[in-house]
Amino acid sequence: HFSHSFYSAVDSNPLSIYVMHPFWNFVVKFLPTWLAPNLITFTGFMFLVLNFLMLAFYDFDFNASSAGHQHVPSWVWVAAGIFNFLAYTLDGVDGKQARRTNSSTPLGELFDHGLDSWACVFFVATVYSIFGRGESGVGVVTLYYILWVVLFSFILSHWEKYNTGILFLPWGYDISQVTISLVYLVTAAVGVETWYQPVIFHLLYRDLFTFMIIACSFTVTLPMSLYNVLKGYRNNTLKHSSLYEGLLPFLSPFLLFVLSTIWVIYSPSNILELQPRIFYLMVGTAFANVTCKLIVCQMSNTRCQPLSILLLPMTAVVLLAITRVFTNETLLLYLWTAAVVLAHIHYGVSVVKQLSNHFSIFAFSLKKPNSD
């Protein structure tokens, strides 16, 4: 079903057009032409995972930035800033390398956006360590909702593509990536205590951070998406005729949100307070799995499955937890998170293999199979 077309992405923000694209065009010239774009995509993603693991080691429960706790070493923030910027740069360069080596494939598009959807959680959880959950930080429940705002603004830009065939890149993306990379470096220089001080009057940095994320999503991403989709409705250029069809992709992510929120609210042992990092990882990975299936449908122009299979066992898990049938909630969360991560990796590997065979290409090499 896959159409052999370059996917159309529209970038309209000045930072991207005047600063980042020229920079990426400059960087890509230094890459060897045998380097496969998917390998660049994957390396960029691994830098974000590395950040997540590095901060999981030094700040597992997000308390390190609070007063009276052992703070994260400065070199970790320097590394985080560099790795974050590298991840962002590689994510910008992969598409340019694909055009340069004339190797743009639907597999590349899926790989890029599939890993981006999973990257959301690694990015958000790592940024959280700057403020932490102490007096001067952001509560774990607040961050849980912030994570969902980020995840939904990701799916919005894809929903838009599902309906209009064009991916409009959210403005907030480039701005937040560059800003956060700098914030990491500043944190290394001035220490986390700096973020305790108010910016002006009683406005704290953590409030600015929370406000920025939510404002970016609601003032830029949502109106842009709605505007573009409605414009498509008016001009009759949409792929899906009914409102039901158009909103279908939101069903699974929405149910995932409902399920995980029920667990947060009705958890007997207050699981989010006990294990915030693992809970975020579970939610972000389950979200990525649901989203990838949407991206596959949108690329192959097939109707998307209204319900993701993952939601079935998850309903059972949440019921076991809140009815106290399974008494050790932390163990249950760890087992379920491991299952979700493994299921998602298995899904990813399978799809990559199938598409590689279908298009007779290698996922991580520009050589053609049986060409020599």
Side-chain angles (χ1 to χ4, degrees):
H1 285 301
F2 287 84
S3 47
H4 276 273
S5 62
F6 294 92
Y7 68 95
S8 36
V10 175
D11 243 333
S12 56
N13 65 318
L15 176 69
S16 192
I17 295 168
Y18 297 111
V19 182
M20 298 321 301
H21 279 287
F23 172 65
W24 294 330
N25 287 329
F26 170 74
V27 171
V28 79
K29 292 189 178 72
F30 293 94
L31 300 176
T33 46
W34 50 260
L35 186 60
N38 289 345
L39 197 56
I40 301 174
T41 310
F42 188 68
T43 309
F45 171 73
M46 288 314 288
F47 275 121
L48 288 178
V49 175
L50 182 62
N51 265 356
F52 178 83
L53 294 174
M54 191 166 65
L55 277 135
F57 183 79
Y58 284 101
D59 182 18
F60 187 75
D61 47 12
F62 306 108
N63 277 318
S65 291
S66 320
H69 285 77
Q70 167 107 44
H71 293 328
V72 173
S74 281
W75 70 263
V76 172
W77 294 123
V78 175
I82 294 169
F83 292 162
N84 194 77
F85 190 75
L86 272 171
Y88 171 54
T89 303
L90 292 171
D91 192 39
V93 160
D94 56 7
K96 297 197 177 292
Q97 176 77 345
R99 286 180 196 90
R100 180 173 170 241
T101 54
N102 203 6
S103 60
S104 292
T105 60
L107 172 63
E109 177 189 354
L110 177 66
F111 205 70
D112 191 11
H113 296 309
L115 287 178
D116 279 351
S117 69
W118 201 8
C120 287
V121 66
F122 297 115
F123 174 71
V124 172
T126 307
V127 174
Y128 186 28
S129 279
I130 296 173
F131 301 93
R133 63 199 278 198
E135 280 297 295
S136 51
V138 181
V140 283
V141 180
T142 309
L143 195 94
Y144 167 77
Y145 291 113
I146 289 177
L147 173 63
W148 272 109
V149 167
V150 173
L151 296 178
F152 267 109
S153 58
F154 179 89
I155 209 167
L156 260 178
S157 54
H158 279 279
W159 168 67
E160 195 173 13
K161 175 159 191 228
Y162 180 73
N163 278 298
T164 61
I166 301 167
L167 180 70
F168 290 85
L169 299 174
W171 270 50
Y173 176 68
D174 294 285
I175 297 160
S176 65
Q177 288 296 326
V178 175
T179 309
I180 292 297
S181 301
L182 288 170
V183 168
Y184 285 135
L185 297 176
V186 170
T187 306
V190 299
V192 284
E193 280 90 351
T194 312
W195 308 118
Y196 299 173
Q197 266 79 60
V199 192
I200 38 165
F201 309 122
H202 294 294
L203 179 71
L204 291 172
Y205 279 101
R206 57 147 195 234
D207 305 324
L208 193 68
F209 155 76
T210 309
F211 173 74
M212 261 177 60
I213 286 189
I214 293 171
C216 259
S217 300
F218 285 109
T219 56
V220 180
T221 313
L222 188 62
M224 286 280 285
S225 294
L226 289 176
Y227 169 75
N228 289 322
V229 170
L230 289 171
K231 198 167 71 178
Y233 264 116
R234 271 212 313 277
N235 305 342
N236 224 347
T237 52
L238 288 198
K239 294 181 170 181
H240 306 279
S241 46
S242 70
L243 189 63
Y244 164 77
E245 279 274 294
L247 290 175
L248 207 54
F250 280 108
L251 186 60
S252 283
F254 179 70
L255 288 175
L256 180 65
F257 169 70
V258 171
L259 274 173
S260 63
T261 306
I262 287 172
W263 194 356
V264 169
I265 294 170
Y266 295 104
S267 162
S269 61
N270 216 335
I271 192 70
L272 196 59
E273 295 289 333
L274 288 178
Q275 294 290 340
R277 185 176 289 273
I278 303 300
F279 199 90
Y280 298 148
L281 175 63
M282 181 274 290
V283 165
T285 309
F287 173 85
N289 189 256
V290 166
T291 314
C292 280
K293 293 177 177 170
L294 164 67
I295 297 171
V296 169
C297 294
Q298 137 202 317
M299 284 172 49
S300 54
N301 288 331
T302 50
R303 256 194 75 188
C304 86
Q305 283 287 308
L307 284 179
S308 177
I309 193 74
L310 197 71
L311 296 167
L312 205 62
M314 181 158 175
T315 308
V317 168
V318 173
L319 284 173
L320 282 176
I322 64 176
T323 54
R324 291 186 169 83
V325 170
F326 200 107
T327 43
N328 188 340
E329 227 179 324
T330 299
L331 177 63
L332 182 62
L333 175 67
Y334 272 70
L335 290 172
W336 174 238
T337 304
V340 172
V341 170
L342 290 172
H344 188 49
I345 292 172
H346 172 73
Y347 170 75
V349 171
S350 306
V351 169
V352 167
K353 276 184 172 168
Q354 285 176 21
L355 287 182
S356 301
N357 291 335
H358 177 79
F359 291 119
S360 311
I361 49 176
F362 287 119
F364 292 115
S365 158
L366 292 178
K367 282 205 193 78
K368 291 271 184 287
N370 313 326
S371 63
D372 33 53

